[in-house]
Amino acid sequence: MLYMILGQDREGALPDRLAARPAHLERLQALQAEGRLVLAGPCPAIDAADPGPAGFSGSLIVAEFESLEAAQAWADADPYVAAGVYARVEVKPFRKVFPA
């Protein structure tokens, strides 16, 4: 089943986000290699593709996991969590409608 993981950055998290990014991307690449990743990316803090020093307000991941518990465990082990980037992480079941 698909699950969405929404991490919300804490204020001033950009330096920690940048430091943890390579390890974060490595985990996403593993999901992609397994054919489980639907989409992933950051949410710019301002209305710009490259927010520069404004940074990001969080990240969204939609991926396939065996259960809500497995998705939560994967999210809990994210390098952004370990680095204190996220103030909050929400994991919910997700139903893809479009694109078909």
Side-chain angles (χ1 to χ4, degrees), residues 1 6 12 14-16 28 37-38 43 50-51 53-55 60 63-67 72 75 83-84 87 100:
M1 183 166 172
L6 179 63
L14 185 59
D16 293 329
L28 292 171
L37 184 63
V38 175
C43 303
D50 180 0
L60 174 66
E64 185 177 335
F65 293 94
E66 290 182 17
S67 65
Q72 185 68 59

Side-chain angles (χ1 to χ4, degrees), residues 14 18 42-56:
L14 185 59
L18 295 175
C43 303
I46 60 173
D47 190 12
D50 180 0
F56 301 91

Side-chain angles (χ1 to χ4, degrees), residues 53-90:
F56 301 91
S57 63
S59 301
L60 174 66
I61 299 165
V62 177
E64 185 177 335
F65 293 94
E66 290 182 17
S67 65
L68 179 59
E69 293 78 17
Q72 185 68 59
W74 189 92
D76 290 345
D78 193 281
Y80 283 173
V81 171
V85 172
Y86 294 146
R88 187 173 87 143
V89 178
E90 194 172 0

Side-chain angles (χ1 to χ4, degrees), residues 1-4 38-39 62-63 92-99:
M1 183 166 172
L2 294 178
Y3 296 88
M4 73 108 209
V38 175
L39 66 89
V62 177
K92 292 184 177 183
F94 182 83
R95 183 173 169 211
K96 182 181 170 192
V97 177
F98 290 106

